[in-house]
Amino acid sequence: MFYSPDFCAENVLLNEEESHHIMRVLRMNVGDVCEIMDGKGNVYTAKITKIMKRNCAFFIQNVEFFPKKEHSFHLAISPTKSIDRIEFMLEKCVELGIDKISFLITEHSERKQINLERLQKIVIAATKQSKQKYIPIIEDMILFKKFIEKNSFENNNVNAKNTQYFLAHIDKETQSLKSIIEPKKNILMLIGAEGDFSKDEIIVAKNKKFEMVSLGESRLRTETAGLYANFVYKWINE
Amino acid sequence: MFYSPDFCAENVLLNEEESHHIMRVLRMNVGDVCEIMDGKGNVYTAKITKIMKRNCAFFIQNVEFFPKKEHSFHLAISPTKSIDRIEFMLEKCVELGIDKISFLITEHSERKQINLERLQKIVIAATKQSKQKYIPIIEDMILFKKFIEKNSFENNNVNAKNTQYFLAHIDKETQSLKSIIEPKKNILMLIGAEGDFSKDEIIVAKNKKFEMVSLGESRLRTETAGLYANFVYKWINE
């Protein structure tokens, strides 16, 4: 499977990166047939018609459209100091069918920057490998409060009623995710740094109708909590 | 939290590794109080009474025993070529409360050896970090057929009736794990290499009453499948 976001009936040139892979690595030739996805639900079966210096051109034999599922999982997480952990989590989340991931700068964040380009490459590789039909959206780091403003119930005109807003919180009195998560809903899950969210941040989120949820009894690392939430979303919707 | 498997009322000397950490890294002194676990459910609160060249000795102030849960999750998996993936999975599985992990040599295995000592260190670090009270058992690589012999229904005298035997299989007709997994059961889950189990291996497992299960529609990598099974076990028992 190859990924070329602009590939369509009007543009049968594969992008440079994937063309390079086809021509130089796999050494495919005119007449060979490939599967090409545009990351927006279309999967093309296409035959190579021309090998050029930087691209190859195709004749589309067939196109299949896979409709998007009707609900989504959006994870907003404060990345760990060790980026390896976030990269691994990201890859797994893509395999599990995550729709969107945002990175939060919180009061207790240890990391304020990410290499978005590198993470995007991981997302694309994992999407292709796991044969997903849509490329998940990945957003650069954003201040917690700005994120909440932008993504709160009030500003979600289309899907607010069909969305559950959760903040994972380590507290014995918090209700469990298990007790309130519902299938066929959009889920927005906020996960903090190792030191949890600050009191201030929790108040901000509560004011915007985020529900505090616990992810079970054991103490999970940040990236494990992200993974766990995604597994739960997949499990209840299967 | 420190881990010393032989620590008890009759042996109040901490092992060398943890003693080194206390004395040289944390620079603790006589009179300081530590939490020490033996990985078998006992957590000691103990005060340092003597600092020696290689060990420190303690006075036990309190001991709390945490009973083992009544069911267990045992994962038997064919490790991936890239050991990083297995190491990450292992760490996450420990956080999620795995009880036992075995490594299988299957027909399609790409890796026939593991560094058991290194993996054991990961298990211990993750057990301490996530405040589990029991150190999961980790077993060296074993041939698939030998493993099945040793762990089948017939040879499980104590818990056979309370155990579900699963083999994760990529096949459209396989029933889903979701439809047959039950809470409060011991789970033994077999997961193959990227190329799945061979036909022969599947026959062997079926003959020993293993049930074929699918882990959902998306194509999961080996280590993601292992994680997924563990998440499911945690989720249904929470």
Side-chain angles (χ1 to χ4, degrees):
Chain A
M1 180 83 77
F2 302 95
Y3 167 59
S4 193
D6 300 324
F7 194 87
C8 63
E10 289 74 38
N11 173 31
V12 292
L13 276 183
L14 200 68
N15 65 6
E16 279 193 30
E17 204 180 326
E18 294 288 56
S19 293
H20 174 87
H21 193 66
I22 282 184
M23 300 184 301
R24 314 270 173 251
V25 183
L26 301 174
R27 298 184 175 276
M28 295 174 86
N29 278 313
V30 169
D32 287 341
V33 174
C34 305
E35 276 200 318
I36 299 164
M37 62 177 285
D38 64 1
K40 299 157 206 144
N42 294 299
V43 176
Y44 298 90
T45 308
K47 193 195 275 190
I48 303 175
T49 54
K50 206 170 172 186
I51 300 260
M52 288 161 292
K53 200 173 168 193
R54 298 198 163 160
N55 294 84
C56 39
F58 286 83
F59 168 73
I60 296 174
Q61 295 180 321
N62 187 38
V63 53
E64 195 173 356
F65 178 70
F66 296 83
K68 209 166 182 151
K69 58 186 166 43
E70 282 168 15
H71 44 81
S72 67
F73 179 70
H74 179 184
L75 177 66
I77 192 163
S78 171
T80 51
K81 204 169 169 184
S82 139
I83 199 68
D84 292 4
R85 298 178 171 278
I86 286 296
E87 289 183 358
F88 192 91
M89 181 202 79
L90 185 62
E91 184 186 283
K92 301 299 119 204
C93 284
V94 173
E95 284 178 62
L96 297 169
I98 199 169
D99 298 280
K100 190 170 176 181
I101 183 157
S102 308
F103 293 102
L104 302 176
I105 304 173
T106 65
E107 276 185 47
H108 300 155
S109 283
E110 287 193 292
R111 171 179 284 277
K112 317 274 186 205
Q113 285 185 321
I114 50 166
N115 182 340
L116 192 64
E117 206 182 315
R118 186 179 154 89
L119 297 183
Q120 265 160 342
K121 279 190 183 157
I122 292 172
V123 165
I124 290 170
T127 306
K128 285 158 67 176
Q129 194 274 334
S130 60
K131 303 207 167 183
Q132 309 282 343
K133 306 302 183 287
Y134 289 84
I135 301 280
I137 297 164
I138 172 166
E139 288 186 328
D140 210 346
M141 295 208 65
I142 181 171
L143 285 166
F144 179 80
K145 285 174 191 175
K146 271 196 190 163
F147 178 85
I148 296 281
E149 281 288 314
K150 210 175 130 191
N151 291 276
S152 72
F153 184 80
E154 299 150 19
N155 290 325
N156 183 344
N157 298 316
V158 190
N159 288 313
K161 282 190 186 161
N162 206 30
T163 301
Q164 291 189 294
Y165 297 85
F166 295 133
L167 180 148
H169 185 43
I170 306 159
D171 180 347
K172 281 189 180 167
E173 283 157 36
T174 309
Q175 58 194 331
S176 74
L177 178 63
K178 188 164 184 172
S179 63
I180 50 170
I181 192 170
E182 293 169 32
K184 297 187 182 171
K185 293 267 187 180
N186 301 312
I187 304 294
L188 170 51
M189 171 66 75
L190 308 183
I191 289 175
E194 298 290 328
D196 207 350
F197 291 103
S198 71
K199 280 182 188 171
D200 251 24
E201 287 167 341
I202 286 171
I203 292 168
V204 167
K206 277 186 177 167
N207 284 340
K208 295 290 185 181
K209 301 197 181 174
F210 278 79
E211 295 181 274
M212 308 293 114
V213 291
S214 115
L215 302 182
E217 282 168 34
S218 41
R219 181 164 132 170
L220 303 179
R221 281 176 180 273
T222 297
E223 76 279 7
T224 318
L227 267 172
Y228 188 63
N230 201 346
F231 273 105
V232 168
Y233 167 76
K234 179 175 156 68
W235 176 255
I236 63 162
N237 284 300
E238 235 166 45
Chain B
M1 181 81 80
F2 302 95
Y3 168 58
S4 193
D6 299 324
F7 194 85
C8 62
E10 289 74 39
N11 173 30
V12 292
L13 275 184
L14 200 67
N15 66 6
E16 280 194 29
E17 203 180 327
E18 293 288 56
S19 294
H20 174 85
H21 193 65
I22 282 185
M23 301 185 298
R24 314 271 173 252
V25 183
L26 302 173
R27 298 184 175 278
M28 295 173 88
N29 278 313
V30 168
D32 288 341
V33 174
C34 305
E35 277 200 316
I36 299 163
M37 62 177 284
D38 65 359
K40 297 158 205 147
N42 294 300
V43 176
Y44 297 90
T45 309
K47 194 195 275 189
I48 303 175
T49 54
K50 205 170 173 188
I51 300 259
M52 287 161 288
K53 200 174 167 191
R54 298 199 164 161
N55 293 84
C56 37
F58 285 83
F59 169 73
I60 296 174
Q61 295 180 320
N62 187 39
V63 53
E64 195 173 355
F65 178 69
F66 296 83
K68 209 166 182 152
K69 57 186 166 45
E70 282 169 14
H71 43 81
S72 67
F73 178 70
H74 179 183
L75 177 66
I77 193 164
S78 171
T80 53
K81 203 170 171 185
S82 139
I83 198 69
D84 293 4
R85 298 179 171 278
I86 286 296
E87 290 183 357
F88 193 91
M89 181 203 78
L90 185 62
E91 184 188 283
K92 301 299 117 203
C93 285
V94 174
E95 284 178 62
L96 297 170
I98 199 168
D99 298 280
K100 191 170 176 180
I101 182 158
S102 308
F103 293 103
L104 302 176
I105 304 173
T106 65
E107 277 185 45
H108 300 154
S109 284
E110 287 193 291
R111 170 179 285 277
K112 318 274 185 207
Q113 285 185 321
I114 49 166
N115 181 339
L116 194 64
E117 205 181 316
R118 185 178 156 89
L119 297 182
Q120 263 159 345
K121 280 190 183 158
I122 291 172
V123 165
I124 290 169
T127 305
K128 286 159 67 176
Q129 194 273 337
S130 60
K131 303 205 167 187
Q132 309 280 345
K133 308 301 182 286
Y134 289 84
I135 301 279
I137 298 163
I138 171 165
E139 288 186 330
D140 209 348
M141 295 207 67
I142 181 171
L143 285 167
F144 177 81
K145 285 175 190 173
K146 272 197 189 162
F147 178 86
I148 295 281
E149 281 288 314
K150 211 175 128 191
N151 291 277
S152 73
F153 183 81
E154 298 150 19
N155 290 326
N156 182 344
N157 298 318
V158 190
N159 288 313
K161 280 190 187 163
N162 206 31
T163 301
Q164 291 190 292
Y165 297 85
F166 295 134
L167 180 149
H169 184 43
I170 306 160
D171 181 344
K172 280 187 182 168
E173 282 158 38
T174 309
Q175 57 194 333
S176 75
L177 178 62
K178 188 165 184 171
S179 65
I180 51 170
I181 192 170
E182 292 170 34
K184 297 186 182 173
K185 292 268 187 179
N186 301 312
I187 304 294
L188 170 52
M189 171 67 75
L190 309 183
I191 290 176
E194 299 290 330
D196 207 349
F197 291 103
S198 70
K199 280 183 189 168
D200 250 24
E201 286 166 340
I202 286 171
I203 292 169
V204 168
K206 277 185 178 168
N207 285 341
K208 296 291 185 180
K209 299 195 184 175
F210 278 79
E211 294 181 275
M212 308 293 114
V213 291
S214 116
L215 302 182
E217 283 169 33
S218 41
R219 182 164 130 169
L220 302 179
R221 280 175 180 274
T222 297
E223 77 280 6
T224 318
L227 267 172
Y228 188 65
N230 201 347
F231 273 105
V232 168
Y233 168 76
K234 177 174 158 68
W235 176 255
I236 63 162
N237 284 300
E238 237 168 41

